[in-house]
Amino acid sequence: MLKLDFEQAKINEQKRLKEKINKNKKRIALAMYLIAILVLLLIIVLAVGARMKKPQVIIDNTAVDLKHVNGRLAEYIQSLGNSYNIRYLGQFGAANWNDNPKEATIEYTKQGYKSAIYSKELNKHMIFDGEYAYSILNVYKVILKAKAPVDFETSEYNLVSDFGQRYIADVKIKEGGVEYIYQEYEHKDAKIRYYFVDKDLRYIKIIVGDVERKINVIVDRNTVKKELMELPAEYKYVNS
């Protein structure tokens, strides 16, 4: 009788151990399955994160009325209307993008067909009245007057305009925790990038070779600096 009880106890112990092993196997299998899912999710998250960090190039074929610009930049220019003032703060060349840049502020003001460009640091003051262009030389107290159109490159002084740049692409990018879409254009040997958050222009970058310049843009809509459009009465006129 004792022998039978011992045999039965042995059988029961083996059965219990087998059930325990099977439960452990199931737990291990479940743990491995969960780990595999977590690893897969981690890979997906990292892949999505890497994709978000990597610039995404988009070609914007939006039809617009302006000749050379399109999409966000065209809509932004058109939204300014006929009266506004733009202040550019950054590094500019005295005559073009290849000049040695210096810190300067450029004011561009517009009212209807009249406009003016002014920079104290660059010794630049020009007024356009639709028919003539006036270059004011304060050093000599002289005004150079020329019949429009004149051979004057405005792209260095009024970047938010349609001055003949060639559209390349829209690029989604994240900088400093902010998601931007910049429109890239080419003009001569320079790349010009307009950085937008939604439809709001935040700043501009000009890239010439290895030199990159950031231009901050302050726009005052429906604001005109009329004093920049006034010709000094005491200055002598010289026709060119």
Side-chain angles (χ1 to χ4, degrees):
M1 190 70 176
L2 290 172
K3 186 176 179 181
L4 289 173
D5 290 342
F6 177 76
E7 291 293 336
Q8 186 62 44
K10 187 177 179 181
I11 291 170
N12 290 339
E13 180 64 18
Q14 288 176 345
K15 185 178 180 181
R16 187 182 67 79
L17 289 173
K18 188 174 181 180
E19 288 176 352
K20 186 176 181 180
I21 290 170
N22 287 336
K23 285 182 180 179
N24 288 338
K25 285 182 178 179
K26 288 179 180 179
R27 287 173 181 167
I28 292 170
L30 180 60
M32 294 292 289
Y33 178 72
L34 291 174
I35 289 171
I37 290 176
L38 288 173
V39 170
L40 182 61
L41 289 173
L42 181 61
I43 291 171
I44 292 171
V45 169
L46 290 174
V48 171
R51 190 179 173 210
M52 288 179 68
K53 289 181 180 178
K54 185 179 180 182
Q56 298 177 43
V57 178
I58 306 163
I59 302 299
D60 189 342
N61 292 316
T62 306
V64 293
D65 295 333
L66 298 175
K67 187 176 180 181
H68 301 102
V69 299
N70 65 343
R72 285 173 174 79
L73 181 57
E75 290 176 4
Y76 190 82
I77 293 171
Q78 291 173 329
S79 74
L80 293 175
N82 288 319
S83 296
Y84 57 88
N85 189 80
I86 302 178
R87 182 180 300 165
Y88 300 99
L89 303 94
Q91 290 187 324
F92 298 90
N96 56 59
W97 289 318
N98 287 318
D99 279 1
N100 292 327
K102 62 186 295 186
E103 291 293 331
T105 297
I106 293 175
E107 297 268 7
Y108 176 81
T109 196
K110 177 178 171 61
Q111 184 176 40
Y113 58 86
K114 294 186 68 176
S115 63
I117 293 170
Y118 174 77
S119 174
K120 180 180 178 181
E121 296 86 353
L122 301 177
N123 296 315
K124 186 71 64 178
H125 189 183
M126 294 195 71
I127 298 172
F128 305 88
D129 65 4
E131 185 177 2
Y132 291 96
Y134 306 86
S135 181
I136 303 169
L137 306 178
N138 293 307
V139 175
Y140 305 104
K141 293 188 176 182
V142 166
I143 299 173
L144 297 178
K145 181 180 177 182
K147 183 87 172 175
V150 295
D151 185 17
F152 175 70
E153 179 63 81
T154 62
S155 56
E156 179 75 5
Y157 307 105
N158 183 26
L159 294 165
V160 184
S161 62
D162 185 8
F163 53 81
Q165 62 271 57
R166 185 172 68 88
Y167 173 75
I168 303 299
D170 280 26
V171 180
K172 287 185 178 180
I173 194 169
K174 193 170 185 178
E175 289 186 0
V178 180
E179 291 186 357
Y180 295 96
I181 292 182
Y182 71 72
Q183 278 200 309
E184 181 166 299
Y185 291 82
E186 284 184 348
H187 185 67
K188 297 182 178 179
D189 57 352
K191 290 181 180 178
I192 310 164
R193 293 176 178 175
Y194 298 85
Y195 283 75
F196 289 88
V197 174
D198 193 18
K199 295 183 179 181
D200 182 27
L201 178 64
R202 294 295 178 87
Y203 60 89
I204 301 168
K205 282 185 180 179
I206 298 174
I207 303 169
V208 181
D210 297 329
V211 179
E212 180 176 296
R213 291 183 272 158
K214 181 179 177 180
I215 310 296
N216 290 313
V217 181
I218 300 174
V219 176
D220 294 321
R221 298 171 185 268
N222 302 315
T223 299
V224 178
K225 291 198 173 182
K226 292 186 178 180
E227 66 273 18
L228 298 183
M229 297 184 183
E230 295 176 358
L231 294 164
E234 71 276 17
Y235 283 22
K236 181 181 177 181
Y237 281 82
V238 177
N239 294 324
S240 61

